[in-house]
Each structure stands twice: as structure tokens, then as C-alpha cells.
Amino acid sequence: MAIRVAILGATGYTAVELIKILLRHPEVTITALTSRQEGNAPIASVHPTLVGRISANLENLTPAEVAARAECVFSCLPHCASAEVIPELLKAGCRVVDFSADYRLNSPQVYEEWYGHRHPDPERLGKVPYGLPELFREEIRGASLVANPGCYPTSVILALAPLLKAGLIEPRDIIVDSKSGVSGAGRTPKLTTHFPECNESLSAYNVGRHRHQPEIEQVLGQVAGSTVEVVFTPHLVPMDRGILTTTYSRPTRQVSEDEVLDCLESFYQNEPFVQVVDHLPATKDTAGTNFCHITARIVRDRIVTVSCLDNLVKGASGAAVQNFNLMYGFPETTALL
Amino acid sequence: MAIRVAILGATGYTAVELIKILLRHPEVTITALTSRQEGNAPIASVHPTLVGRISANLENLTPAEVAARAECVFSCLPHCASAEVIPELLKAGCRVVDFSADYRLNSPQVYEEWYGHRHPDPERLGKVPYGLPELFREEIRGASLVANPGCYPTSVILALAPLLKAGLIEPRDIIVDSKSGVSGAGRTPKLTTHFPECNESLSAYNVGRHRHQPEIEQVLGQVAGSTVEVVFTPHLVPMDRGILTTTYSRPTRQVSEDEVLDCLESFYQNEPFVQVVDHLPATKDTAGTNFCHITARIVRDRIVTVSCLDNLVKGASGAAVQNFNLMYGFPETTALL
Amino acid sequence: MAIRVAILGATGYTAVELIKILLRHPEVTITALTSRQEGNAPIASVHPTLVGRISANLENLTPAEVAARAECVFSCLPHCASAEVIPELLKAGCRVVDFSADYRLNSPQVYEEWYGHRHPDPERLGKVPYGLPELFREEIRGASLVANPGCYPTSVILALAPLLKAGLIEPRDIIVDSKSGVSGAGRTPKLTTHFPECNESLSAYNVGRHRHQPEIEQVLGQVAGSTVEVVFTPHLVPMDRGILTTTYSRPTRQVSEDEVLDCLESFYQNEPFVQVVDHLPATKDTAGTNFCHITARIVRDRIVTVSCLDNLVKGASGAAVQNFNLMYGFPETTALL
Amino acid sequence: MAIRVAILGATGYTAVELIKILLRHPEVTITALTSRQEGNAPIASVHPTLVGRISANLENLTPAEVAARAECVFSCLPHCASAEVIPELLKAGCRVVDFSADYRLNSPQVYEEWYGHRHPDPERLGKVPYGLPELFREEIRGASLVANPGCYPTSVILALAPLLKAGLIEPRDIIVDSKSGVSGAGRTPKLTTHFPECNESLSAYNVGRHRHQPEIEQVLGQVAGSTVEVVFTPHLVPMDRGILTTTYSRPTRQVSEDEVLDCLESFYQNEPFVQVVDHLPATKDTAGTNFCHITARIVRDRIVTVSCLDNLVKGASGAAVQNFNLMYGFPETTALL
């Protein structure tokens, strides 16, 4: 029998992508789509791409009502709002994949410092698996709550984790220059994402102050077994979707390009969704897919990695379904190829 | 001595384009830039493209204060707001180029029907020249108030006026299919102009209900000397600027493509900014310029015209400066080549 | 047992889209991918979006070699080239879905006039079902050869066929103004599709001379039972994919907007992929899907329809798989939702 | 009397931008436009944006013929081709602004290594001023030949030169991550710049192998007075024009953000075209202008600079006219504001 799933905060871009993936999943029935603002509109009226594909309406439901309808909940709520309802859902027996940042950081202090709110559920921090199957597959299997990773962190961590784990690069001399399409900024209209402002333009934003920095450093730190520090600069690119991350790190010893590529390849040799490639990948190669493409070069005394993925799929909703598949014991690639 | 000019509503896209043109105008000094919302911010902080080019601040000024500073006022205020201040400016001796629709229509009833407001200054309607120099140059010369045309109407009227005037096409069997870049929708963020919504997408909007329809029909009616009716469909195109208009009209008699092109060419032979071309023009050919490119084809029993221009230049701020040049007796192309 | 399928001309955009759809089809195994130019490269090196998803190589195969490997052949070859190999494939017992225009027109003379080549297989013309299931489902079922429709024609025919069939519009007074994304122009680099030329630009092309015009007129003529004439103007839009078609036709009698929408809705009520909508659809609503969205308006004395689809899916590869499903008796929506 | 100028290789993007600027220059008459491929076509037929603005034809002229017509020559020829004609032009008394890389590097060996050709005019290397007025204004004044800088180098050098000169950063620990619009790749259609390939996509290219690297290092080395090494990664961005460069360097001592900004500001305080800004600039802020906007941040132990400019203006044709103005003693900003 199919798993009954609910999606909280179903009006954003990650939710519509999630719905499209779940409609292809043979083991899933979508039983609730919630929204606080949109009243009881048909979801297809909010996302016309769903016309003829799903007839459900949005609903403003309490956690108890959600729990009565669904065994598994995907929370696409914003940070803070998410952690306010998840404890009740878990108590009621639901399993949850959380798209927000609420359960990604281990420290309530770090959370408060970067997100500006006291964490609503601090006791659980540090006990929730970080939903990157390539690193934490065993913890995710059978978990009742998974913290779905941020889009930038996925592109960064997948590129650097193998090199840190192998001790190939210095953990405190890492530059991360990331570039993202505009869907990453969400669906609320703002001047910075108004078409005539960001079209035909490129800019850096939140230099040194982006909330994904502590997430990257925490996860890479776990992998490295020592403190990792990155200088992280995100950029806004005039395209819908896609993240490309270029990292610059310093080898701990003389290495060849082949050695670096081998390190990546052997790390990911059994992974269905991470592809180590020889050529320089483009975000378009991964658009609409759950894949991440990675390559590496040696330039002067640095290792340069280039990795890319679709921020709405491997960077959000595809990863969430990959986690869901692991949590429920379905083949990991179900609905994702 | 330079003309002192003020710009009302200086935070929108037409205003910044106007400022850039006026900074090149040897006979102009910008003496006031008004805004109700932005407080006293430097204009360059609102439009960073002006950094290092103009040091003026926005100000919230009364019409009297504006009149004390400027001989000529460009009003980039929205409709209704514009006609509420223009009478006082005129009374105080200013000349005005109005970017809004307030003085384009001759009939207060038609205005009220399409704009949903009672006209604030109905007596003046019908006495203000329509600022399309190619048709109304003599009326514009020396005028104290000019109604700057809408962007779509300019692209339509320039293509069809010569054919209607020559009696070559039926005045009540005209299809107008227009396509515009997103800057035409203004600078206020909305979902429809949010980058991930309108990028990589094309749509029709306001089909049969766009406010430029009565303007097109009124002006073409004057030219034709009889009632003109158009079916007008605007479309939103994922690009910053540019309008391309395709019209389909029925010849009143058998005509060849050459005859139609000749009709257009002889009409515009002395015009500095209208170019009749043999090839099919692209909006990019006119981007950033005050030019309009037009061509025509015969397809089956129809005359098809294709015309294009930059909605922010020939469709707004360039036309305004062309009108300004005529009003003050400067060479018509000053600052526009 | 899965159907073994081959794809001829596997390096273009329609082929890669087709591969992605077929990889999701439970009843299909891809057994051959042909190319004359690319040598024996892995298909994933030509289309990096396929890395990790399919390991096949391109091959330069004779029709006999293809027939030995595949029961069903999708021909993505250009016109003329396609009809040169299809007879041999059919003779060898293959079934074929032809993406080219070679079997769409019934008359060898019309073909020669518009395509500039003598047809290589003229006897078969007029006997091959036109692969638009919404109109010709019964003919397609079990057919050995299907002519997959052109992308523009699909968007036009789906909008107008119900109105013509119901006798609601005049068959010889139809304006068709279509707008297409750039992938429709194919994968061969040309100046007109060079990014800095067509980006941020809109243009009309092939006005009155586009090869899809006779195809539209022939199919609509069959539906109407009388000669249909259209004035057809395609435009190039700066986006990857999507076609939006705006048609203007003259009602044969007084009709209301509701009547027109009802006519469309009842025609398509059981269709899985055609959605009649109240709102004005955007190409993005159908991007990446096999859906076509259609609406209609009455403006003055005209019926205006707006229809959109993804030129690479419902306009090409999705339609091909829909036809394939019908030909082999699989549920029509398999791999397409 | 106006200076008679010729443009060699007048069919590319830098040439059309140059023509548009020169048409506004009161002291210039364009007397020759050369092309080897386009025959004698009107320049406006190759660049329809020039229709009605310039009536000249392209011509295939020898250097002697050019010298007979022009006092000043702008060479937009490709590298190698440029240095093959410039010696003869200089001998004939012309002054030359060279857009190619031919006279930017001081060493024939470095040139040969990076450009793959033996230099046609090696004796002149090292004696030609590098056309960045902000650094080499005095050398450019009155020069007979100026090497117009590369687009990337301008964005990099303007950001880093003040910091290196002040000894604020380590000269051999510099990461340069640059992002460019597609016009930088020229006007020859290629698969990588075919719209459906590069639109909606971002990629790195020529990692560690881009020809602008030695140019950057040479010029910054002169400024620093010691060897400078950069790791340089260019990226292709789906937009027409604009370069944004993000650099990461290591301070030589503890510095504050204000100190870094002050260093930049005092360096450029009298420069008309370099603006040090507090906010993070976007390429659009400088599009269509000769300005470069720069800012800086401190992130952890690095100085991060962000600089942007229009690759076709300050990165090419605007800089060329700025050099021309200096060479001939015209006010430096003539035709550039």
C-alpha cells in the first residue's frame, strides 16, 4: 500500500518540484498540501504546471490534522516555522523530511547566531541525520526525521568531502565561490529578483554572511575530523535553476590531477547520482535531474573543483525523495531517474 | 543657458533612461528629481548605474517647489497622479512632457472607462498634442504640454498610419499582435514579473482589455479620418526591453509588397528615427536607441507589418526628449544619436 | 519483454529528449543510437545530461543493421534523409515513428514545392497517419509508420480543430501568430541562434514562407471538410523551449466566450494531455511536459485562442512516445506523466 | 578638424560598440571599415543596429589604403593578424589602438607559449603602453601605439592594483574567479555559444589555461614590483555582456574593511570611470557604460574584492576611446559619458 504523504508549505518552488517527483513515485499518495496564505485554492491554480496532473486543494491544516492524513511529511516551511510543528508531527508518529535549516546545525547557539531566532526545539539538534546519502546513508535509513541539506552545501560538500577525508587538502584554507540560479531565492517577489533587475546581470550577495557557511563548515568538519573553515561567496546568476560551485583549496602534499580525480571517483563509484567527469561540467547538464557532476583541476599550487547540480532537485526536492526512499526502504533511485 | 528640467517620479525605469539621455543633452541641467517613497536618497543609490554620473538626491517636492526650480518638467508619475499635478505646473509657467496616459485620450468618458478613475483635468483633454513627432510635429513645436505616447501604440501607429492614410488597408479589420520585454511592466515587484516566473516563458496578457487599445484606435482614427478598430493582444517576452509588433490588415485593393514598402518609405523618408527596412527586424536592432524599424510583407490576402523599437527609448524616454527638443526648438535628434 | 527501439540521428535536441523519456518507459530497451557525424562517441559525451544514465555509444549503422537490432525505430533524421531509409526499415519489419516532415503531407507536389526535393517515397504519401492522437487516434493504433507532427502545427491544430469541426469559425480567415523558443531551430550553430544575437531579442522569421503552413492547412482542412487558409507568422523568442500560438479567427455566427470554451472543453474532455483552461496560459506551464494548454477569448468580432506546449515534448518527443504507446497498445500516458 | 579614423575587422561585437561610441565623438570621422570576409556590404547590413546611423560600406583594404584614409586606426583584428599589419600602419604615420593581445605581453616567449604563434613583430614588445589609463596614463598620452587591455584583466587589475601597490596583499596567493557574458566569446557561432546550449547554464572554462592569466600577472607584477601569481578561473554566464570578478587575497597584515575600501578610494579618487562603492555591485550597474564598480570585504582571513564592468565598453571599445582621447589630447571622457 502506498505511503500517504503530506507537504507543508506547498506553494513554493521546492514544493512544486517535489509534487512532480512524487507523482511519479509508485509507492506514494499525496494526501495533504498545506498553505497558510492561499486559502483553499486548487494547487493547480497556484502552479498551473500541475493542471491535469493533480486535483488536490491547498488547506490550512493543524499538525494534528496533517498527522491524521499522512504517515510521512515533507516540510517546505521556512526555518523556525518548521521546527515549531515538527515535534508534534513526530510525536503523532509521522516521519518527516525537513527542507528548512532547522535541524541541520548541531548547536542551538550557532543556529541562533546565524538565523536570529532562538531554536524552538533545541534538544533534538545533533541527533537528526543530515540528509546527504552520499555521506550519511546509514543514519538516514529508517530515521524518523531527516534534515534535508541546503542547496549550496550539497554542491560544496560533495566536491570537498572526499578530498578532506583523504587528507588531500588543508581544512582551513578553502575558498568557495558559488553561483546560483534565481529560483534559489524563493517565490516571494522582491526587487532583487524582479526580472528587469536580475536578468542580464550577475552579482555577489551576502559575502561572508550567508547562512549556508556554518552548515558547510560543520558537515565538512565532521568528515575531516578537524575544524574546517571556508570563505564562501554566493552569486546570483540570471537563470532559473542550477548551482555551480568552484572551490580552491591547498593540497597537503604534491598531487597530480589524476590523483585528485581518482580520489573523487573511488569515493563515488557506487553512487547513483554523483558523477565524476573529466570535462568541465555546466549546470545545464544536471538541470531537471537529481545528479551532481564534479571535476577537478590542478592550477598552480591549488586544487580547483567544479561541481554542479539543480538546486531544486539534488539541492532540495530530489534529495528529499532520495532520503524518503532510504527512510522507507525503497530503492534509492525510485522516481528519480 | 541650459534649460532647467525636473523629473517627477524619478525611481522607475523610464526615469533612469531619461536621466541617462538628458546627461548627454548639452542644453539641459537636471535640477530636481522627485519621489514620494524613497525619501531623500541619492538617485544613484536607487539606480546604481548612475553612480559617478549624477550626484542629485531624490526629494519629495510640491508642484510649487518644482516650478521654482525648473522650466520644463518630465512627469513619470502614474496615470491620475500625473494629471493631478500638471495643471498647477502649467499655471506656474512650466512646460511639461507627460509620460502617463492622462492626456493621450481625447474623451474623459473613454479615459474613465479604461482607467477606472474620473479624469482630474477633463477640460484639457483633446487640446494636448500627442507626442509622436512623425505624425504631429507641428502641434508639438512650441507646445506647453505634450502627451508622450504609450510604448505599444508607438510601435503600432508608426507601422499602420502610412497605410491608413494612403487608404491601403481596411480600417476595421486589423489584428495587432504585440510582444514586449518585461521592463514595460514597471519596477514594482510582482509575481508575474518575478524572474523564475517570467524567465524562459512567454504569455499573452490583458487580451482585448489592454489600455493601449483605445489610444491606438483614437490616433489611427485621426490619421485615417474614419473609425479604426483593432484586435490588440499584448504578450510578455523574457527580455529586458524591446517591443515587436506584428499587424495583419486587409488591403483595400490588390497591392504588391513593393507598393506597401514604398508607401512606408515615402512617408518616413525625412524622419531621423524611423527606418523602413527590407529584412525582418529584431528588437535588438533598436535596443538602446530611439529608432523604430519597420517592414512589411504580403501573405495571402493580408498585409503583414513587423515593427520594433526599444520600449524605454522610442517607446518612452527617447520620444520624450525628441518632444522636448521640438518644444524648445533644439535640433530634434539632440542627445538621441 | 521490452520493445527494442533504435533512434536514428541521436545527436539533436529531440533525440536527447526522447532518450530521457524512453529511459522512464518500463516497456522499452534502447538498442541503437545512430549518427553519421559523431563517430562512435558515447552518447553521454555528446549530451552530458545523460552521464550516468545511459552508457550506449553512437554508431553509424545501415538500415539493415538497425532492423536487426530494433523492432521500433524513431527517426530523428532531417527531412528527405528520413524517407530515404524508412522504406527499407518498414520492409524489414520495423515499425517507425518519423519526426521529419517526410510523411506529413499527402501530396508529393506540395512536398516538393515547400521542401525543395523530390520525395524519395511518394507512393506512401497520404497513407500514413498524422501522429496527433487527439485527432487520429484510431489510425495510429497499430500503424507501422506514423508521421510525428511539427511543433507549430500541434499548437495550432489543437487550438483550431474543435472550432472548425463545430463550424464555429470561417476556414479561410485565420491569422496564426506563433512564438517559439530557440531549441526549435535545432542544434547546429548559426548566427541567428548565436547567443548574443538572439538573446534579449525577438524577431519574426519566414513570414508567409514557413514549411509548417501547408501542414497546418492540410490537417485543418481534413478536420473542417473544406479548404482552410491561414496566414502564419513564426517568431523566435529568447528562451530554450516552448511555443505559444495566438490565433485570430472570425466566428460564423454570434458566439459567446463560454460557448467557445465549452466547444474546446467537450472536444478534449477525455484527453489526458490537452487542458482547456480559463486563464491565459504561459509556455512555462507546459515546459518539460507532454501537455498542451488552451484558452479562448472573444475580442471585438474575433475569436482569439492562446495555446502553448513544449516544442521538444508535446511538439516532438513526447508526442512520439504517445504515438508509440498507441502503436503498441501500451497505456497512452506511459512514461509521459 | 576631425580625426579621420579607420576600424579594422569591423564586423565583430567590439567594432560595432566602437562605432556607436565614435558616432557620438565630436572630433572623429570614420573613414574606413575593413573586413576580409564580408565583401563590400554596408556595415548596417551586418549590424542592423546601425541602420540610419552610418552609411559606410565594409571594404577589404590593404594597410597602405587604410593609411591613406585615416590618421588613427583601431584594430579589432584577431591576435597575430593584428601585429602583421600594425608595423606598416605605424610606418605610414598612423597611430593605432590595438584591441588584440599582440602588444600586451612584454615577452615574445610568453606570447608564443600562450598564443601558439611566433610573434610577427617581437622587437616592439615591451615598448608599447598598456592601455589602462588608471595605471599608465602618462605613457598613453601621445603614444603612437597602445595595447588595449583584455576584458578580464581590466576587471582584475583595477581591483587588485591598489592593494598590491600599497603592499596590503600577498602577491602570490591570489584567487581570481571571473564571470563573463557571452559576447566576450565573439561573434563566430560555435556549439558552446549556441543559445540552447549556454542559455540557462553556467560553466567554467579554460581553467588554469586562459590567455588572460599571463597578462594579469605581468601588469600586476609591474605594479607590485615583484612576481604576482594568480589562480584564474573564467566562467561563462547566460547574459550578453558584463564581467564580474571576485578575488580572494591574503592581507600582509591585519586590516579592516574600511582600510581596504579607503585604499581603493584614494587610489581612484580622481578617476572618472572607476567607482569604489560600498554595496555589492552588479554587472548591470555598468552595462552600456565605461565605468568599473569595485568594492571589498573582509571574510575570515581574506580580502574579497568584487569588481564589474561591461566587457564591450570598459573592457574593450570604451577603453579604446579613452586611450584615443589621451593619445590626441581630447578630454578623457569625450563620447564616454
Side-chain angles (χ1 to χ4, degrees), chain A residues 157-290:
Chain A
I157 295 166
L158 290 176
L160 294 177
L163 307 182
L164 281 164
K165 191 147 203 167
L168 273 183
I169 58 173
E170 299 286 354
R172 302 178 76 160
D173 189 351
I174 299 174
I175 307 290
V176 176
D177 190 292
S178 288
K179 300 90 176 168
S180 173
V182 185
S183 62
R187 198 161 179 251
T188 305
K190 282 173 293 203
L191 189 60
T192 46
T193 52
H194 186 49
F195 186 91
E197 298 287 317
C198 62
N199 182 48
E200 290 291 296
S201 195
L202 185 90
S203 57
Y205 67 100
N206 284 356
V207 177
R209 306 188 293 106
H210 195 284
R211 287 162 169 172
H212 284 170
Q213 182 189 314
E215 183 180 334
I216 292 166
E217 293 180 338
Q218 171 188 295
V219 178
L220 287 179
Q222 284 174 249
V223 171
S226 68
T227 300
V228 168
E229 287 179 1
V230 302
V231 172
F232 175 55
T233 308
H235 297 76
L236 193 66
V237 183
M239 60 186 188
D240 275 4
R241 38 170 90 193
I243 285 179
L244 187 127
T245 288
T246 315
T247 75
Y248 304 87
S249 57
R250 200 180 284 278
T252 49
R253 56 174 177 85
Q254 180 112 9
V255 284
S256 70
E257 212 159 277
D258 281 349
E259 255 184 292
V260 177
L261 284 167
D262 283 352
C263 170
L264 292 167
E265 267 160 27
S266 67
F267 196 93
Y268 293 121
Q269 61 186 335
N270 298 315
E271 287 300 333
F273 294 119
V274 180
Q275 299 291 327
V276 180
V277 296
D278 288 332
H279 62 270
L280 292 163
T283 59
K284 197 167 221 169
D285 301 343
T286 58
T289 83
N290 198 48

Side-chain angles (χ1 to χ4, degrees), chain B:
Chain B
M1 240 193 54
I3 309 289
R4 290 168 296 122
V5 313
I7 300 173
L8 310 187
T11 59
Y13 293 131
T14 54
V16 68
E17 196 68 27
L18 179 61
I19 292 169
K20 289 195 274 182
I21 297 169
L22 291 178
L23 287 173
R24 284 182 176 151
H25 200 299
E27 311 286 351
V28 162
T29 307
I30 297 173
T31 56
L33 301 170
T34 82
S35 165
R36 292 186 208 175
Q37 296 113 30
E38 298 284 338
N40 274 50
I43 183 71
S45 74
V46 174
H47 297 299
T49 188
L50 297 175
V51 168
R53 301 164 80 181
I54 180 170
S55 60
N57 278 31
L58 292 164
E59 296 174 272
N60 189 351
L61 300 176
T62 64
E65 291 169 318
V66 170
R69 296 241 208 117
E71 298 157 68
C72 182
V73 177
F74 292 90
S75 171
C76 300
L77 297 175
H79 62 86
C80 228
S82 206
E84 272 163 9
V85 301
I86 284 175
E88 189 174 343
L89 292 168
L90 292 171
K91 211 172 187 175
C94 292
R95 294 192 189 181
V96 178
V97 179
D98 182 23
F99 281 58
S100 88
D102 283 351
Y103 294 98
R104 295 180 197 156
L105 297 172
N106 293 335
S107 152
Q109 288 73 38
V110 174
Y111 179 88
E112 188 168 342
E113 179 189 335
W114 285 85
Y115 288 88
H117 289 91
R118 184 168 290 271
H119 197 287
D121 184 23
E123 301 75 27
R124 220 178 300 262
L125 295 200
K127 299 167 195 152
V128 180
Y130 187 78
L132 202 57
E134 291 79 6
L135 292 179
F136 305 104
R137 184 168 281 114
E138 292 318 309
E139 294 87 328
I140 296 163
R141 262 193 236 285
S144 57
L145 171 62
V146 170
N148 212 48
C151 49
Y152 283 124
T154 298
S155 72
V156 179
I157 294 165
L158 289 177
L160 293 177
L163 308 182
L164 282 164
K165 191 148 204 169
L168 273 184
I169 59 173
E170 299 287 354
R172 301 178 74 161
D173 190 350
I174 299 174
I175 307 290
V176 176
D177 191 291
S178 288
K179 300 90 177 167
S180 173
V182 184
S183 62
R187 197 161 180 249
T188 305
K190 281 174 294 205
L191 189 60
T192 47
T193 51
H194 185 49
F195 186 90
E197 298 288 317
C198 63
N199 181 46
E200 289 292 295
S201 195
L202 185 90
S203 57
Y205 68 100
N206 285 355
V207 177
R209 307 188 294 106
H210 196 283
R211 286 162 169 171
H212 285 169
Q213 182 189 313
E215 182 180 335
I216 293 166
E217 293 180 340
Q218 172 188 294
V219 177
L220 288 179
Q222 285 175 247
V223 171
S226 68
T227 300
V228 167
E229 287 179 3
V230 302
V231 172
F232 174 55
T233 308
H235 298 77
L236 192 67
V237 182
M239 58 187 189
D240 274 4
R241 36 169 91 193
I243 285 180
L244 187 128
T245 289
T246 315
T247 75
Y248 304 88
S249 57
R250 200 178 284 278
T252 49
R253 57 174 176 84
Q254 181 112 10
V255 284
S256 70
E257 213 159 275
D258 282 350
E259 256 183 291
V260 177
L261 284 166
D262 283 351
C263 170
L264 292 167
E265 268 160 25
S266 67
F267 196 93
Y268 292 120
Q269 61 186 336
N270 297 316
E271 286 300 334
F273 294 119
V274 181
Q275 299 291 326
V276 180
V277 296
D278 287 332
H279 62 270
L280 291 164
T283 59
K284 197 166 221 169
D285 301 343
T286 57
T289 83
N290 198 47
F291 284 83
C292 177
H293 290 188
I294 309 177
T295 196
R297 296 287 182 275
I298 304 285
V299 182
R300 295 195 175 277
D301 55 350
R302 302 292 171 121
I303 295 173
V304 179
T305 67
V306 178
S307 54
C308 62
L309 50 76
D310 184 324
N311 56 302
L312 294 179
V313 189
K314 184 59 178 164
S317 305
V321 173
Q322 195 179 351
N323 285 318
F324 166 86
N325 287 336
L326 282 168
M327 290 162 77
Y328 283 89
F330 300 125
E332 194 170 330
T333 60
T334 309
L336 294 171
L337 287 178

